[in-house]
Amino acid sequence: METLSHVTAATILLQTLFLPHGFPDSVSQDYLEYQLWDTLQAFSSSVTGSLATHALLRGSGVGDSSATVTAATITWILRDGTGMIGRILFAWMKGSRLDCDAKRWRLFADVLNDLAIFMEILAPVFPSCFTLTVCTAGVFKCIVGVAGGATRAALTVHQARRDNMADVCAKDGSQETLVNLAGLLVSLLIVPLVSDSLWATYLLFFLLTCLHLYANYRAVGSVIMETLNQSRLAIVLDHFLLEGQILSPAEANPKEPLLPGLGTQVSVDVGVPLSAVISSVSQLELLKKGNDCLYLLGWRRDSGRIAVVLHERAGSVDVIRSVLHAEILHRKTSCSDPARYSVLAETHGYVNRMFPDFCHGLRAAGWLTDRNLLDSDDWRANWNTNKQL
């Protein structure tokens, strides 16, 4: 009995140290599975990171009597400087899209991190390109920092179910610190054994990278998000059109494509200015024909992509409806179809009939409709609409 009480006390202590207060009720149902896979990937990344550090130090001249401190310092400054520039540019170009595809960007960040580590391990083999290789890897790692940090925050929002984001984030940091400590201890044993053999280093890196990528794929694949992004909306819509039923978040999330380039959703720009779609009053009347919604669906004048102009009173449900409408329109026409405006008017009637049942089904299946991840821009317009307030 005394041994059992000690085990129970130790379990409670570990839970208090590393799991959010109120676990498991204070977090999402996918929390534990995600954290287990995330722990495994963090451990493998920690060990490969130690291999990269060893390679960088050797390439910078540690142990070489002919190397100078100044040369190593300049290399480090260039590495950090180019990385900072890359961080700023990536955040500017992709920052607003990271929330919408958090799983995919999370996986992208880890793949890019492995590529950066491989470049650092390989850098000493080509001394003439050492600085260029190290700087490129530094840019990649800074991009990883932006994408990984932002998507981690998005996943924390999903996991925290009692307005306990700070607690979930803090315990995630404690878990990662413990895993990195374990990785450092293992690295102290392994790195001296393989440091004198390039092939042993490459083999260990390859095995750990395979483990890292697999664990990451399983981690992001285990996340069950209840908010709709375009991929999940397209999956739910396809099933609804075929079967007349709404998939639940637990059924739709495993079908979400996680690798870049996969998925069949239409390219649609949501929340564009009115001038991006129309150039005359007659075009405005064409877009309004048969439309009593708080959005205008059309085609961009510059690129021909399907675009949505949102009314100033449009809410989350209207955004969901507009993207659903864009998906349906894309299936029925193309940007070069001369009859596309007549097809657009026909789809208004179809969406008017099916969307109330579709929206009710979303709520009944457990989807959130009061917020979404459909990458809507902030532009709004005002026009006469027959929609009742």
Side-chain angles (χ1 to χ4, degrees):
M1 292 296 292
E2 184 177 354
T3 302
L4 182 61
S5 64
H6 287 321
V7 172
T8 303
T11 302
I12 294 174
L13 177 61
L14 289 175
Q15 180 171 327
T16 304
L17 287 174
F18 298 108
L19 293 175
H21 179 72
F23 175 85
D25 298 326
S26 61
V27 293
S28 59
Q29 293 183 351
D30 55 23
Y31 176 84
L32 187 59
E33 182 178 0
Y34 173 82
Q35 293 300 130
L36 289 174
W37 286 112
D38 189 56
T39 296
L40 184 59
Q41 69 85 20
F43 173 79
S44 57
S45 181
S46 177
V47 178
T48 55
S50 297
L51 294 175
T53 300
H54 177 271
L56 286 176
L57 292 174
R58 184 176 60 188
S60 298
V62 175
D64 185 356
S65 59
S66 63
T68 64
V69 175
T70 302
T73 302
I74 291 175
T75 300
W76 235 253
I77 291 174
L78 289 174
R79 172 178 177 265
D80 291 345
T82 53
M84 291 173 186
I85 295 173
R87 179 194 300 270
I88 293 171
L89 291 177
F90 180 77
W92 167 62
M93 294 172 62
K94 298 296 183 180
S96 63
R97 297 181 179 272
L98 298 178
D99 283 302
C100 302
D101 270 318
K103 297 184 196 178
R104 189 176 298 188
W105 282 110
R106 176 72 179 175
L107 191 59
F108 165 82
D110 288 302
V111 172
L112 192 61
N113 184 63
D114 288 335
L115 178 59
I117 290 175
F118 177 70
M119 293 179 67
E120 290 177 341
I121 292 176
L122 201 62
V125 180
F126 304 99
S128 60
C129 300
F130 180 79
T131 301
L132 177 61
T133 304
V134 168
C135 289
T136 304
V139 172
F140 288 172
K141 283 199 168 184
C142 284
I143 292 175
V144 169
V146 175
T151 52
R152 182 182 293 274
L155 293 175
T156 301
V157 171
H158 159 71
Q159 291 172 338
R161 293 306 167 93
R162 290 184 179 174
D163 295 325
N164 57 337
M165 273 190 60
D167 185 28
V168 173
C169 187
K171 296 304 170 56
D172 182 70
S174 296
Q175 296 169 22
E176 185 171 0
T177 300
L178 179 65
V179 171
N180 287 336
L181 179 59
L184 289 176
L185 294 176
V186 172
S187 298
L188 287 175
L189 300 175
I190 293 180
V191 171
L193 297 177
V194 302
S195 59
D196 294 330
S197 172
L198 285 177
W199 291 111
T201 300
Y202 294 153
L203 177 61
L204 180 61
F205 170 78
F206 175 76
L207 294 175
L208 289 173
T209 298
C210 289
L211 177 62
H212 180 245
L213 293 177
Y214 177 74
N216 268 294
Y217 188 85
R218 291 296 302 270
V220 296
S222 68
V223 176
I224 307 297
M225 303 193 79
E226 297 88 2
T227 45
L228 288 164
N229 66 359
Q230 198 174 346
S231 294
R232 294 189 284 272
L233 179 59
I235 292 167
V236 173
L237 175 61
D238 285 339
H239 188 80
F240 180 79
L241 295 177
L242 289 174
E243 305 291 340
Q245 297 178 335
I246 299 292
L247 292 174
S248 68
E251 294 169 327
N253 272 266
K255 301 177 183 292
E256 182 180 359
L258 300 177
L259 298 177
L262 298 183
T264 58
Q265 71 269 18
V266 61
S267 296
V268 55
D269 299 329
V270 185
V272 302
L274 189 61
S275 59
V277 178
I278 68 168
S279 59
S280 64
V281 175
S282 59
Q283 278 190 318
L284 176 60
E285 294 303 321
L286 282 174
L287 297 185
K288 289 174 61 178
K289 186 177 180 180
N291 178 16
D292 61 351
C293 304
L294 293 178
Y295 64 86
L296 295 176
L297 192 62
W299 293 266
R300 292 192 70 113
R301 296 163 56 200
D302 53 358
S303 63
R305 288 161 55 100
I306 294 179
V308 175
V309 180
L310 294 173
H311 195 277
E312 62 183 9
R313 299 201 307 270
S316 177
V317 172
D318 299 294
V319 174
I320 293 172
R321 176 171 175 160
S322 69
V323 177
L324 176 143
H325 195 166
E327 291 278 353
I328 293 174
L329 180 63
H330 178 69
R331 289 161 170 76
K332 294 180 176 294
T333 187
S334 67
C335 62
S336 60
D337 189 345
R340 57 183 180 173
Y341 285 103
S342 60
V343 176
L344 174 60
E346 293 174 6
T347 58
H348 275 299
Y350 176 72
V351 174
N352 287 340
R353 292 189 299 272
M354 62 86 67
F355 187 74
D357 291 336
F358 184 85
C359 188
H360 176 76
L362 287 176
R363 296 189 180 107
W367 293 99
L368 301 178
T369 57
D370 58 341
R371 55 189 177 91
N372 63 78
L373 297 171
L374 293 171
D375 194 22
S376 172
D377 208 340
D378 294 330
W379 290 95
R380 295 295 184 269
N382 194 352
W383 64 88
N384 293 331
T385 176
N386 297 323
K387 184 170 182 176
Q388 299 295 319
L389 295 174

